[in-house]
Amino acid sequence: MSGSLSVIGLGPGNPETLTPEAAAALEAADALYGYGPYLDRVPARAGQTRHASDNREEDARAAAALRHAAEGARVAMVSGGDPGVFAMAAAVCEQIESGDAAWRQLDVAVVPGITAMLAVAARVGAPLGHDFCAMSLSDNLKPWELIERRLAAAAGAGFVIALYNPISRARPWQLGKAFERLRQQLPPSTPVVFGRAVGREQETVLVSELEKADPSVADMATLIIVGSPMTRVIARPGRAPLVYTPRFVEDGK
Amino acid sequence: MSGSLSVIGLGPGNPETLTPEAAAALEAADALYGYGPYLDRVPARAGQTRHASDNREEDARAAAALRHAAEGARVAMVSGGDPGVFAMAAAVCEQIESGDAAWRQLDVAVVPGITAMLAVAARVGAPLGHDFCAMSLSDNLKPWELIERRLAAAAGAGFVIALYNPISRARPWQLGKAFERLRQQLPPSTPVVFGRAVGREQETVLVSELEKADPSVADMATLIIVGSPMTRVIARPGRAPLVYTPRFVEDGK
């Protein structure tokens, strides 16, 4: 079987953050699969087919790409950010495990990209400079009680927390509820960073505090970083503040 | 003040994973600072000075780079992987907060890169496909008791765990102790991925299980991913297995 599937991270969205490895893998493909707006970021190439699908169709998209690769094509699946972080690589693996046995013989490669939390963190300083965790706030794929339990465990142990998929039309209350839960454990002044569409034209970055963090600031394109009790804000005259988490923790903290 | 400091992520090490944004920032700099082996990865350019320092001298390196920038130079600080993840961006912020007030007026930018856990995850599938955390195992900057507490919290709440700085000559027992701690909570068959020098010539990737995970496999260039109870391994005839964590968790897990 000569077909292959590359699952490719496009990074935050600007071509300047697409790695040469990802650009080469996109160029080499016979067929591109992905969520429409991600596919739109990839320059057109003659002879390459495009198969756009909707946001919520990851399973069907992964299966279609695998079927196409199994026919002998070089197929590329595009993913925003990094394909391994709340994106298409896991969806592809799920289909390989449950699907046609022939799919296990395909040449499958994952090409990493700059995931949203790294892009947002870079914009404000180094909020992920110490131990941190990354969670999806979507309760489509896991129960809300588990999400609250994880938020409590992470905050209680001093992790900085990056929140993916914070809000959507179908999930309007989850982010507010998460802030409420975190306020039970973290100081009111804990820095909260909202990074929206970072790396793209519509980029906005807001630094707030947990006490007054407003969920309505966020949308589907927003990545949120909630600091730990160690996270600090450096005021700078005439410049945006820096937000960072020191590398060290003193004994007894 | 016209000086600037860019803190630049080189990614895992191969030029194919350096973003165009990072390449441009390196090219534009008057002076490069960094740990020697990272500086060695950057192509030489006429008229650009280089200031290599040792592994354990982050504070002095950050201060020297800031002083140089405050004199009006365009300074670049290079960092392996992503500068915001257990790397130089936090060290620079620490110096800005505690150092010369003029440093707060400098143009400081962080340029993200592919951090080790993304590169290692990509090599084996999608082990970080669900909620995960990233921890440094170094007890140089925080007490070991806190590290154990965080390991327990993360494993107990179902996070996949990426371990940075797992071992060094001065810290020979910490990784073994971490595996011991995790064995108290996680199934013996939990997948453990050792990724060494991923993206470079000496790359090796090993998939093991928590029960038999051998700390001596790791060195300073190794990034380790310990799965959650949900993490799965897909055997493939004639190919390395895929390791992934499904996006979904059923109710009641």
Side-chain angles (χ1 to χ4, degrees):
Chain A
M1 183 159 329
S2 60
S4 66
L5 176 61
S6 296
V7 192
I8 300 171
L10 298 181
N14 48 339
E16 293 304 297
T17 54
L18 182 76
T19 67
E21 179 183 39
L26 290 168
E27 174 67 23
D30 300 317
L32 300 181
Y33 282 74
Y35 175 47
Y38 294 148
L39 276 183
D40 291 343
R41 295 186 194 163
V42 182
R45 177 172 79 64
Q48 196 174 53
T49 61
R50 287 174 176 243
H51 310 262
S53 45
D54 197 51
N55 207 4
R56 301 283 291 275
E57 296 173 357
E58 286 94 350
D59 295 344
R61 182 191 304 148
L66 285 160
R67 263 194 304 275
H68 199 156
E71 292 165 15
R74 286 164 303 179
V75 176
M77 170 75 76
V78 303
S79 201
D82 179 84
V85 177
F86 308 118
M88 285 307 298
V92 166
C93 289
E94 287 163 25
Q95 292 300 314
I96 292 174
E97 187 171 19
S98 62
D100 190 334
W103 294 352
R104 298 188 183 212
Q105 297 184 45
L106 286 170
D107 188 8
V108 174
V110 178
V111 180
I114 307 288
T115 182
M117 68 179 165
L118 302 186
V120 172
R123 279 296 187 273
V124 297
L128 306 178
H130 194 74
D131 302 337
F132 63 92
C133 66
M135 290 181 57
S136 167
L137 269 196
S138 169
D139 55 353
N140 290 333
L141 297 168
K142 63 189 177 230
W144 179 254
E145 298 65 40
L146 179 60
I147 296 175
E148 285 213 17
R149 186 144 50 87
R150 287 185 180 162
L151 288 168
F159 288 100
V160 173
I161 303 171
L163 298 174
Y164 283 74
N165 307 320
I167 206 160
S168 75
R169 225 169 311 174
R171 295 182 292 103
W173 54 262
Q174 283 78 346
L175 180 59
K177 193 96 177 169
F179 285 153
E180 262 175 49
R181 184 67 192 78
L182 292 171
R183 284 185 194 113
Q184 294 175 24
Q185 287 170 279
L186 293 171
S189 63
T190 302
V192 176
V193 180
F194 294 82
R196 183 175 181 282
V198 161
R200 302 198 292 284
E201 268 182 30
Q202 320 87 311
E203 170 174 329
T204 53
V205 176
L206 172 74
V207 177
S208 183
E209 297 184 347
L210 184 56
E211 186 177 31
K212 51 189 179 208
D214 174 6
S216 75
V217 167
D219 66 6
M220 276 178 61
T222 306
L223 182 288
I224 293 158
I225 298 176
V226 179
S228 78
M230 310 295 296
T231 304
R232 305 183 58 78
V233 176
I234 311 177
R236 298 189 298 170
R239 292 188 178 275
L242 288 172
V243 182
Y244 83 104
T245 310
R247 298 162 301 155
F248 54 86
V249 176
E250 311 289 348
D251 270 329
K253 290 262 180 160
Chain B
M1 181 158 330
S2 60
S4 66
L5 176 61
S6 296
V7 192
I8 301 172
L10 299 181
N14 49 338
E16 292 305 296
T17 54
L18 183 77
T19 67
E21 179 183 37
L26 291 168
E27 174 68 23
D30 301 317
L32 300 182
Y33 282 73
Y35 175 45
Y38 294 148
L39 277 182
D40 292 343
R41 294 186 195 163
V42 182
R45 178 171 79 65
Q48 195 175 54
T49 62
R50 283 172 179 245
H51 310 262
S53 45
D54 197 51
N55 206 4
R56 301 284 291 273
E57 297 174 355
E58 285 93 351
D59 295 344
R61 182 192 306 148
L66 285 160
R67 264 194 303 273
H68 199 156
E71 291 165 17
R74 286 164 305 178
V75 176
M77 170 76 76
V78 303
S79 202
D82 180 84
V85 177
F86 308 119
M88 287 306 299
V92 165
C93 290
E94 287 163 26
Q95 292 299 314
I96 292 173
E97 186 170 20
S98 63
D100 190 334
W103 293 352
R104 297 187 183 214
Q105 297 184 45
L106 285 169
D107 188 8
V108 173
V110 177
V111 180
I114 305 288
T115 183
M117 67 180 165
L118 301 186
V120 171
R123 280 295 187 275
V124 297
L128 306 178
H130 194 75
D131 301 338
F132 64 92
C133 66
M135 290 182 56
S136 167
L137 269 196
S138 168
D139 54 354
N140 290 334
L141 297 167
K142 63 188 177 234
W144 180 254
E145 297 65 40
L146 179 60
I147 296 175
E148 286 214 16
R149 186 144 50 87
R150 286 183 180 163
L151 288 168
F159 287 101
V160 173
I161 303 172
L163 298 174
Y164 284 74
N165 307 319
I167 207 160
S168 74
R169 225 169 311 175
R171 295 183 292 103
W173 54 262
Q174 283 79 347
L175 179 59
K177 193 96 176 166
F179 285 153
E180 261 175 50
R181 184 69 193 76
L182 292 171
R183 284 185 194 114
Q184 294 176 23
Q185 286 170 279
L186 293 171
S189 63
T190 303
V192 177
V193 180
F194 294 82
R196 182 174 181 282
V198 161
R200 303 197 292 284
E201 268 182 28
Q202 321 87 310
E203 170 173 329
T204 52
V205 176
L206 173 74
V207 177
S208 182
E209 296 184 350
L210 184 56
E211 185 177 30
K212 51 189 180 211
D214 174 6
S216 74
V217 167
D219 66 6
M220 276 178 62
T222 306
L223 181 289
I224 293 158
I225 298 174
V226 180
S228 77
M230 310 295 297
T231 305
R232 305 183 58 78
V233 176
I234 310 176
R236 299 189 299 170
R239 293 187 177 275
L242 288 171
V243 182
Y244 83 103
T245 311
R247 298 162 300 157
F248 54 84
V249 176
E250 311 288 349
D251 271 329
K253 290 261 179 160

